[in-house]
Amino acid sequence: MGQLKPSAWACARFGTMAADLLEAIPVALRRAHRRALASHVEMGFSTNEAYGLIWKALHEELVSAIGDHSGVRRTKPKGASYELVVIGEHNVILYPWRYGDDAHTRVEDKRMRLSEVRNNLLTLNPESPEPQLTLEHAELTEDDLASLFEEERRDAQSMASAGRAVVLAYASNPDAGLLRLFWGDAEKADEDGYLRWTHLEEISLRAADDGTDAGGIGARPLVPVGPDTAAGRFDQAPLEEPVLGVRPPLTSPDTDPTATPQPETGSDA
């Protein structure tokens, strides 16, 4: 397979490593997906909790794929259980984000849950206030505390030295597999987690094709169904005829007297 040609933006961000990243990143994502899918199948949950750990697997796979390359260093954010890779002379941090589980939703319309690490990366302002003691710190000696705070200070300086963060936004699920992959420049638009993308481009997942399956356990389509595809649209089915009848007295127009009462539910997701 020939090497993919990076865009002018990618070359500006990553220099001579741009083409290598276009191939390495999809491969790392494929490996992370297979790990998460194996956990999902083995655990047998009816929900996607086990698969949801793909984010942590991807951090590890990115470090494994490119962390030892010349011109790449690693940094561990304060309080994080994972490492990030920092690339090139411009010190660009790659930060993966699973923005969705379908191929239809626009990445620009999704909100990111803003942790301290994500806030620091998106604003590139990792300077933190003076260290605050916690209950866990009470069990440490003064020397241990000094060592811990010094490590946190070095982490902050390491992140501060990065020129910018490039977000790797991807969509996947255990049924359909890998769906979309993008990278670009983003900054925090508001406190609700919406991002302002100043540049966004899609990375082909074909670069991850190593002859093994990276789909899911189901058979859902990997791309949106268009009007010219063989599958019918939802509004092409015949409409059901409404059943009309006499409403019993003393019932409101929107009440079914034979229905079982249902509790009110809601979601802030």
Side-chain angles (χ1 to χ4, degrees):
M1 180 177 58
Q3 194 174 50
L4 299 177
K5 184 178 181 180
S7 67
W9 169 86
C11 290
R13 290 288 173 271
F14 304 108
T16 57
M17 283 197 64
D20 291 336
L21 291 175
L22 278 177
E23 296 193 8
I25 290 171
V27 170
L29 178 57
R30 170 182 286 264
R31 292 172 179 169
H33 165 72
R34 286 204 294 256
R35 289 173 57 182
L37 182 60
S39 297
H40 174 76
V41 173
E42 182 178 357
M43 297 297 290
F45 291 154
S46 59
T47 62
N48 292 341
E49 292 176 62
Y51 182 81
L53 289 174
I54 184 177
W55 69 269
K56 194 165 187 178
L58 183 52
H59 280 299
E60 294 179 354
E61 293 296 345
L62 285 171
V63 169
S64 176
I66 59 180
D68 294 329
H69 285 213
S70 175
V72 177
R73 60 186 178 87
R74 308 178 187 185
T75 184
K76 186 176 181 182
K78 173 186 174 183
S81 59
Y82 54 85
E83 290 182 311
L84 296 171
V85 289
V86 187
I87 299 173
E89 60 183 11
H90 299 301
N91 293 325
V92 180
I93 289 181
L94 285 180
Y95 186 81
W97 169 47
R98 182 168 176 251
Y99 73 88
D101 58 5
D102 65 77
H104 314 280
T105 304
R106 294 183 347 126
V107 63
E108 299 96 320
D109 297 332
K110 296 297 290 186
R111 291 189 300 175
M112 176 186 283
R113 293 182 180 178
L114 294 174
S115 64
E116 180 181 356
V117 172
R118 288 175 171 178
N119 265 313
N120 289 340
L121 288 172
L122 292 172
T123 60
L124 288 179
N125 183 27
E127 297 298 331
S128 56
E130 289 298 315
Q132 299 295 317
L133 293 177
T134 66
L135 292 177
E136 288 78 8
H137 292 154
E139 300 178 0
L140 301 178
T141 66
E142 291 187 5
D143 289 342
D144 289 338
L145 279 175
S147 177
L148 176 63
F149 290 149
E150 174 61 21
E151 181 180 356
E152 292 178 351
R153 185 189 66 80
R154 288 197 301 267
D155 289 341
Q157 287 182 339
S158 178
M159 291 180 65
S161 67
R164 65 173 61 245
V166 165
V167 178
L168 302 177
Y170 63 100
S172 67
N173 69 60
D175 293 305
L178 302 180
L179 301 172
R180 308 290 294 275
L181 173 61
F182 301 85
W183 63 357
D185 296 328
E187 59 188 33
K188 186 174 65 172
D190 56 38
E191 296 300 326
D192 291 329
Y194 288 103
L195 304 183
R196 181 183 297 109
W197 292 89
T198 56
H199 184 86
L200 182 67
E201 60 186 48
E202 188 161 8
I203 299 177
S204 173
L205 288 169
R206 293 180 181 178
D209 187 4
D210 57 4
T212 61
D213 178 39
I217 57 178
R220 298 179 184 176
L222 300 189
V223 296
V225 177
D228 298 328
T229 59
R233 290 159 38 109
F234 75 93
D235 56 358
Q236 291 176 333
L239 298 177
E240 293 184 2
E241 292 293 333
V243 179
L244 303 179
V246 178
R247 175 166 51 87
L250 302 181
T251 60
S252 63
D254 58 351
T255 301
D256 181 357
T258 64
T260 302
Q262 298 292 329
E264 292 185 2
T265 60
S267 173
D268 58 359

mmCIF file with all atom_site columns, all heavy atoms in Angstrom, residues 203-222:
data_model
loop_
_atom_site.group_PDB
_atom_site.id
_atom_site.type_symbol
_atom_site.label_atom_id
_atom_site.label_alt_id
_atom_site.label_comp_id
_atom_site.label_asym_id
_atom_site.label_entity_id
_atom_site.label_seq_id
_atom_site.pdbx_PDB_ins_code
_atom_site.Cartn_x
_atom_site.Cartn_y
_atom_site.Cartn_z
_atom_site.occupancy
_atom_site.B_iso_or_equiv
_atom_site.pdbx_formal_charge
_atom_site.auth_seq_id
_atom_site.auth_comp_id
_atom_site.auth_asym_id
_atom_site.auth_atom_id
_atom_site.pdbx_PDB_model_num
ATOM 1   N N   . ILE A 1 203 ? -9.581  11.404 8.268  1.00 0.00 ? 203 ILE A N   1
ATOM 2   C CA  . ILE A 1 203 ? -8.507  10.460 7.979  1.00 0.00 ? 203 ILE A CA  1
ATOM 3   C C   . ILE A 1 203 ? -9.139  9.171  7.467  1.00 0.00 ? 203 ILE A C   1
ATOM 4   O O   . ILE A 1 203 ? -10.077 8.646  8.070  1.00 0.00 ? 203 ILE A O   1
ATOM 5   C CB  . ILE A 1 203 ? -7.664  10.166 9.228  1.00 0.00 ? 203 ILE A CB  1
ATOM 6   C CG1 . ILE A 1 203 ? -7.012  11.439 9.747  1.00 0.00 ? 203 ILE A CG1 1
ATOM 7   C CG2 . ILE A 1 203 ? -6.618  9.108  8.942  1.00 0.00 ? 203 ILE A CG2 1
ATOM 8   C CD1 . ILE A 1 203 ? -6.217  11.235 11.036 1.00 0.00 ? 203 ILE A CD1 1
ATOM 9   N N   . SER A 1 204 ? -8.629  8.655  6.369  1.00 0.00 ? 204 SER A N   1
ATOM 10  C CA  . SER A 1 204 ? -9.163  7.421  5.820  1.00 0.00 ? 204 SER A CA  1
ATOM 11  C C   . SER A 1 204 ? -8.848  6.246  6.732  1.00 0.00 ? 204 SER A C   1
ATOM 12  O O   . SER A 1 204 ? -7.699  6.048  7.145  1.00 0.00 ? 204 SER A O   1
ATOM 13  C CB  . SER A 1 204 ? -8.572  7.164  4.434  1.00 0.00 ? 204 SER A CB  1
ATOM 14  O OG  . SER A 1 204 ? -8.956  5.878  3.956  1.00 0.00 ? 204 SER A OG  1
ATOM 15  N N   . LEU A 1 205 ? -9.865  5.463  7.045  1.00 0.00 ? 205 LEU A N   1
ATOM 16  C CA  . LEU A 1 205 ? -9.660  4.269  7.847  1.00 0.00 ? 205 LEU A CA  1
ATOM 17  C C   . LEU A 1 205 ? -9.088  3.125  7.027  1.00 0.00 ? 205 LEU A C   1
ATOM 18  O O   . LEU A 1 205 ? -8.731  2.083  7.574  1.00 0.00 ? 205 LEU A O   1
ATOM 19  C CB  . LEU A 1 205 ? -10.981 3.836  8.491  1.00 0.00 ? 205 LEU A CB  1
ATOM 20  C CG  . LEU A 1 205 ? -11.462 4.739  9.634  1.00 0.00 ? 205 LEU A CG  1
ATOM 21  C CD1 . LEU A 1 205 ? -12.882 4.386  10.026 1.00 0.00 ? 205 LEU A CD1 1
ATOM 22  C CD2 . LEU A 1 205 ? -10.527 4.614  10.832 1.00 0.00 ? 205 LEU A CD2 1
ATOM 23  N N   . ARG A 1 206 ? -9.002  3.298  5.722  1.00 0.00 ? 206 ARG A N   1
ATOM 24  C CA  . ARG A 1 206 ? -8.425  2.240  4.885  1.00 0.00 ? 206 ARG A CA  1
ATOM 25  C C   . ARG A 1 206 ? -6.964  2.017  5.211  1.00 0.00 ? 206 ARG A C   1
ATOM 26  O O   . ARG A 1 206 ? -6.423  0.950  4.958  1.00 0.00 ? 206 ARG A O   1
ATOM 27  C CB  . ARG A 1 206 ? -8.569  2.611  3.409  1.00 0.00 ? 206 ARG A CB  1
ATOM 28  C CG  . ARG A 1 206 ? -10.018 2.626  2.927  1.00 0.00 ? 206 ARG A CG  1
ATOM 29  C CD  . ARG A 1 206 ? -10.098 2.991  1.457  1.00 0.00 ? 206 ARG A CD  1
ATOM 30  N NE  . ARG A 1 206 ? -11.480 3.024  0.998  1.00 0.00 ? 206 ARG A NE  1
ATOM 31  C CZ  . ARG A 1 206 ? -11.842 3.351  -0.231 1.00 0.00 ? 206 ARG A CZ  1
ATOM 32  N NH1 . ARG A 1 206 ? -10.917 3.686  -1.125 1.00 0.00 ? 206 ARG A NH1 1
ATOM 33  N NH2 . ARG A 1 206 ? -13.109 3.354  -0.569 1.00 0.00 ? 206 ARG A NH2 1
ATOM 34  N N   . ALA A 1 207 ? -6.333  3.059  5.766  1.00 0.00 ? 207 ALA A N   1
ATOM 35  C CA  . ALA A 1 207 ? -4.926  2.912  6.134  1.00 0.00 ? 207 ALA A CA  1
ATOM 36  C C   . ALA A 1 207 ? -4.743  1.869  7.224  1.00 0.00 ? 207 ALA A C   1
ATOM 37  O O   . ALA A 1 207 ? -3.650  1.346  7.423  1.00 0.00 ? 207 ALA A O   1
ATOM 38  C CB  . ALA A 1 207 ? -4.360  4.253  6.610  1.00 0.00 ? 207 ALA A CB  1
ATOM 39  N N   . ALA A 1 208 ? -5.830  1.561  7.941  1.00 0.00 ? 208 ALA A N   1
ATOM 40  C CA  . ALA A 1 208 ? -5.747  0.588  9.028  1.00 0.00 ? 208 ALA A CA  1
ATOM 41  C C   . ALA A 1 208 ? -5.985  -0.830 8.556  1.00 0.00 ? 208 ALA A C   1
ATOM 42  O O   . ALA A 1 208 ? -5.940  -1.766 9.342  1.00 0.00 ? 208 ALA A O   1
ATOM 43  C CB  . ALA A 1 208 ? -6.775  0.934  10.119 1.00 0.00 ? 208 ALA A CB  1
ATOM 44  N N   . ASP A 1 209 ? -6.239  -1.026 7.277  1.00 0.00 ? 209 ASP A N   1
ATOM 45  C CA  . ASP A 1 209 ? -6.578  -2.348 6.763  1.00 0.00 ? 209 ASP A CA  1
ATOM 46  C C   . ASP A 1 209 ? -5.337  -3.228 6.707  1.00 0.00 ? 209 ASP A C   1
ATOM 47  O O   . ASP A 1 209 ? -4.484  -3.075 5.841  1.00 0.00 ? 209 ASP A O   1
ATOM 48  C CB  . ASP A 1 209 ? -7.194  -2.224 5.367  1.00 0.00 ? 209 ASP A CB  1
ATOM 49  C CG  . ASP A 1 209 ? -7.721  -3.553 4.854  1.00 0.00 ? 209 ASP A CG  1
ATOM 50  O OD1 . ASP A 1 209 ? -7.676  -4.533 5.626  1.00 0.00 ? 209 ASP A OD1 1
ATOM 51  O OD2 . ASP A 1 209 ? -8.166  -3.603 3.695  1.00 0.00 ? 209 ASP A OD2 1
ATOM 52  N N   . ASP A 1 210 ? -5.233  -4.134 7.675  1.00 0.00 ? 210 ASP A N   1
ATOM 53  C CA  . ASP A 1 210 ? -4.102  -5.056 7.704  1.00 0.00 ? 210 ASP A CA  1
ATOM 54  C C   . ASP A 1 210 ? -4.540  -6.473 7.375  1.00 0.00 ? 210 ASP A C   1
ATOM 55  O O   . ASP A 1 210 ? -3.843  -7.438 7.683  1.00 0.00 ? 210 ASP A O   1
ATOM 56  C CB  . ASP A 1 210 ? -3.407  -5.022 9.067  1.00 0.00 ? 210 ASP A CB  1
ATOM 57  C CG  . ASP A 1 210 ? -4.367  -5.351 10.209 1.00 0.00 ? 210 ASP A CG  1
ATOM 58  O OD1 . ASP A 1 210 ? -5.546  -5.672 9.923  1.00 0.00 ? 210 ASP A OD1 1
ATOM 59  O OD2 . ASP A 1 210 ? -3.940  -5.314 11.370 1.00 0.00 ? 210 ASP A OD2 1
ATOM 60  N N   . GLY A 1 211 ? -5.714  -6.592 6.760  1.00 0.00 ? 211 GLY A N   1
ATOM 61  C CA  . GLY A 1 211 ? -6.201  -7.901 6.368  1.00 0.00 ? 211 GLY A CA  1
ATOM 62  C C   . GLY A 1 211 ? -7.024  -8.589 7.427  1.00 0.00 ? 211 GLY A C   1
ATOM 63  O O   . GLY A 1 211 ? -7.516  -9.695 7.215  1.00 0.00 ? 211 GLY A O   1
ATOM 64  N N   . THR A 1 212 ? -7.212  -7.950 8.585  1.00 0.00 ? 212 THR A N   1
ATOM 65  C CA  . THR A 1 212 ? -8.034  -8.520 9.638  1.00 0.00 ? 212 THR A CA  1
ATOM 66  C C   . THR A 1 212 ? -9.279  -7.677 9.813  1.00 0.00 ? 212 THR A C   1
ATOM 67  O O   . THR A 1 212 ? -9.341  -6.528 9.389  1.00 0.00 ? 212 THR A O   1
ATOM 68  C CB  . THR A 1 212 ? -7.266  -8.577 10.969 1.00 0.00 ? 212 THR A CB  1
ATOM 69  O OG1 . THR A 1 212 ? -6.906  -7.242 11.352 1.00 0.00 ? 212 THR A OG1 1
ATOM 70  C CG2 . THR A 1 212 ? -6.019  -9.422 10.831 1.00 0.00 ? 212 THR A CG2 1
ATOM 71  N N   . ASP A 1 213 ? -10.260 -8.244 10.471 1.00 0.00 ? 213 ASP A N   1
ATOM 72  C CA  . ASP A 1 213 ? -11.541 -7.580 10.607 1.00 0.00 ? 213 ASP A CA  1
ATOM 73  C C   . ASP A 1 213 ? -11.495 -6.533 11.712 1.00 0.00 ? 213 ASP A C   1
ATOM 74  O O   . ASP A 1 213 ? -10.997 -6.789 12.796 1.00 0.00 ? 213 ASP A O   1
ATOM 75  C CB  . ASP A 1 213 ? -12.625 -8.608 10.926 1.00 0.00 ? 213 ASP A CB  1
ATOM 76  C CG  . ASP A 1 213 ? -13.981 -7.969 11.131 1.00 0.00 ? 213 ASP A CG  1
ATOM 77  O OD1 . ASP A 1 213 ? -14.303 -7.028 10.386 1.00 0.00 ? 213 ASP A OD1 1
ATOM 78  O OD2 . ASP A 1 213 ? -14.710 -8.398 12.041 1.00 0.00 ? 213 ASP A OD2 1
ATOM 79  N N   . ALA A 1 214 ? -11.993 -5.348 11.419 1.00 0.00 ? 214 ALA A N   1
ATOM 80  C CA  . ALA A 1 214 ? -12.120 -4.302 12.438 1.00 0.00 ? 214 ALA A CA  1
ATOM 81  C C   . ALA A 1 214 ? -13.558 -3.839 12.517 1.00 0.00 ? 214 ALA A C   1
ATOM 82  O O   . ALA A 1 214 ? -13.840 -2.734 12.940 1.00 0.00 ? 214 ALA A O   1
ATOM 83  C CB  . ALA A 1 214 ? -11.203 -3.128 12.137 1.00 0.00 ? 214 ALA A CB  1
ATOM 84  N N   . GLY A 1 215 ? -14.463 -4.707 12.078 1.00 0.00 ? 215 GLY A N   1
ATOM 85  C CA  . GLY A 1 215 ? -15.881 -4.383 12.200 1.00 0.00 ? 215 GLY A CA  1
ATOM 86  C C   . GLY A 1 215 ? -16.380 -4.734 13.581 1.00 0.00 ? 215 GLY A C   1
ATOM 87  O O   . GLY A 1 215 ? -15.611 -4.864 14.529 1.00 0.00 ? 215 GLY A O   1
ATOM 88  N N   . GLY A 1 216 ? -17.688 -4.887 13.688 1.00 0.00 ? 216 GLY A N   1
ATOM 89  C CA  . GLY A 1 216 ? -18.275 -5.200 14.973 1.00 0.00 ? 216 GLY A CA  1
ATOM 90  C C   . GLY A 1 216 ? -18.925 -6.562 14.962 1.00 0.00 ? 216 GLY A C   1
ATOM 91  O O   . GLY A 1 216 ? -18.738 -7.368 14.051 1.00 0.00 ? 216 GLY A O   1
ATOM 92  N N   . ILE A 1 217 ? -19.713 -6.822 15.992 1.00 0.00 ? 217 ILE A N   1
ATOM 93  C CA  . ILE A 1 217 ? -20.355 -8.118 16.121 1.00 0.00 ? 217 ILE A CA  1
ATOM 94  C C   . ILE A 1 217 ? -21.698 -8.155 15.418 1.00 0.00 ? 217 ILE A C   1
ATOM 95  O O   . ILE A 1 217 ? -22.331 -9.197 15.346 1.00 0.00 ? 217 ILE A O   1
ATOM 96  C CB  . ILE A 1 217 ? -20.545 -8.485 17.607 1.00 0.00 ? 217 ILE A CB  1
ATOM 97  C CG1 . ILE A 1 217 ? -21.365 -7.409 18.324 1.00 0.00 ? 217 ILE A CG1 1
ATOM 98  C CG2 . ILE A 1 217 ? -19.211 -8.676 18.284 1.00 0.00 ? 217 ILE A CG2 1
ATOM 99  C CD1 . ILE A 1 217 ? -21.634 -7.721 19.772 1.00 0.00 ? 217 ILE A CD1 1
ATOM 100 N N   . GLY A 1 218 ? -22.136 -7.014 14.907 1.00 0.00 ? 218 GLY A N   1
ATOM 101 C CA  . GLY A 1 218 ? -23.404 -6.961 14.199 1.00 0.00 ? 218 GLY A CA  1
ATOM 102 C C   . GLY A 1 218 ? -23.200 -6.734 12.712 1.00 0.00 ? 218 GLY A C   1
ATOM 103 O O   . GLY A 1 218 ? -22.127 -6.935 12.187 1.00 0.00 ? 218 GLY A O   1
ATOM 104 N N   . ALA A 1 219 ? -24.230 -6.272 12.066 1.00 0.00 ? 219 ALA A N   1
ATOM 105 C CA  . ALA A 1 219 ? -24.150 -6.058 10.622 1.00 0.00 ? 219 ALA A CA  1
ATOM 106 C C   . ALA A 1 219 ? -24.748 -4.724 10.239 1.00 0.00 ? 219 ALA A C   1
ATOM 107 O O   . ALA A 1 219 ? -25.399 -4.579 9.227  1.00 0.00 ? 219 ALA A O   1
ATOM 108 C CB  . ALA A 1 219 ? -24.872 -7.174 9.883  1.00 0.00 ? 219 ALA A CB  1
ATOM 109 N N   . ARG A 1 220 ? -24.530 -3.704 11.075 1.00 0.00 ? 220 ARG A N   1
ATOM 110 C CA  . ARG A 1 220 ? -25.045 -2.378 10.761 1.00 0.00 ? 220 ARG A CA  1
ATOM 111 C C   . ARG A 1 220 ? -24.209 -1.735 9.658  1.00 0.00 ? 220 ARG A C   1
ATOM 112 O O   . ARG A 1 220 ? -23.016 -1.989 9.544  1.00 0.00 ? 220 ARG A O   1
ATOM 113 C CB  . ARG A 1 220 ? -25.018 -1.483 11.997 1.00 0.00 ? 220 ARG A CB  1
ATOM 114 C CG  . ARG A 1 220 ? -25.890 -2.000 13.135 1.00 0.00 ? 220 ARG A CG  1
ATOM 115 C CD  . ARG A 1 220 ? -25.797 -1.073 14.321 1.00 0.00 ? 220 ARG A CD  1
ATOM 116 N NE  . ARG A 1 220 ? -26.548 -1.589 15.447 1.00 0.00 ? 220 ARG A NE  1
ATOM 117 C CZ  . ARG A 1 220 ? -26.576 -1.011 16.646 1.00 0.00 ? 220 ARG A CZ  1
ATOM 118 N NH1 . ARG A 1 220 ? -25.902 0.093  16.840 1.00 0.00 ? 220 ARG A NH1 1
ATOM 119 N NH2 . ARG A 1 220 ? -27.272 -1.543 17.623 1.00 0.00 ? 220 ARG A NH2 1
ATOM 120 N N   . PRO A 1 221 ? -24.805 -0.866 8.838  1.00 0.00 ? 221 PRO A N   1
ATOM 121 C CA  . PRO A 1 221 ? -24.019 -0.204 7.796  1.00 0.00 ? 221 PRO A CA  1
ATOM 122 C C   . PRO A 1 221 ? -22.993 0.724  8.410  1.00 0.00 ? 221 PRO A C   1
ATOM 123 O O   . PRO A 1 221 ? -23.249 1.363  9.418  1.00 0.00 ? 221 PRO A O   1
ATOM 124 C CB  . PRO A 1 221 ? -25.075 0.577  6.999  1.00 0.00 ? 221 PRO A CB  1
ATOM 125 C CG  . PRO A 1 221 ? -26.210 0.765  7.963  1.00 0.00 ? 221 PRO A CG  1
ATOM 126 C CD  . PRO A 1 221 ? -26.215 -0.457 8.829  1.00 0.00 ? 221 PRO A CD  1
ATOM 127 N N   . LEU A 1 222 ? -21.819 0.822  7.789  1.00 0.00 ? 222 LEU A N   1
ATOM 128 C CA  . LEU A 1 222 ? -20.761 1.677  8.301  1.00 0.00 ? 222 LEU A CA  1
ATOM 129 C C   . LEU A 1 222 ? -20.865 3.089  7.777  1.00 0.00 ? 222 LEU A C   1
ATOM 130 O O   . LEU A 1 222 ? -20.163 3.965  8.230  1.00 0.00 ? 222 LEU A O   1
ATOM 131 C CB  . LEU A 1 222 ? -19.397 1.093  7.922  1.00 0.00 ? 222 LEU A CB  1
ATOM 132 C CG  . LEU A 1 222 ? -19.110 -0.308 8.458  1.00 0.00 ? 222 LEU A CG  1
ATOM 133 C CD1 . LEU A 1 222 ? -17.665 -0.662 8.193  1.00 0.00 ? 222 LEU A CD1 1
ATOM 134 C CD2 . LEU A 1 222 ? -19.405 -0.407 9.939  1.00 0.00 ? 222 LEU A CD2 1
#
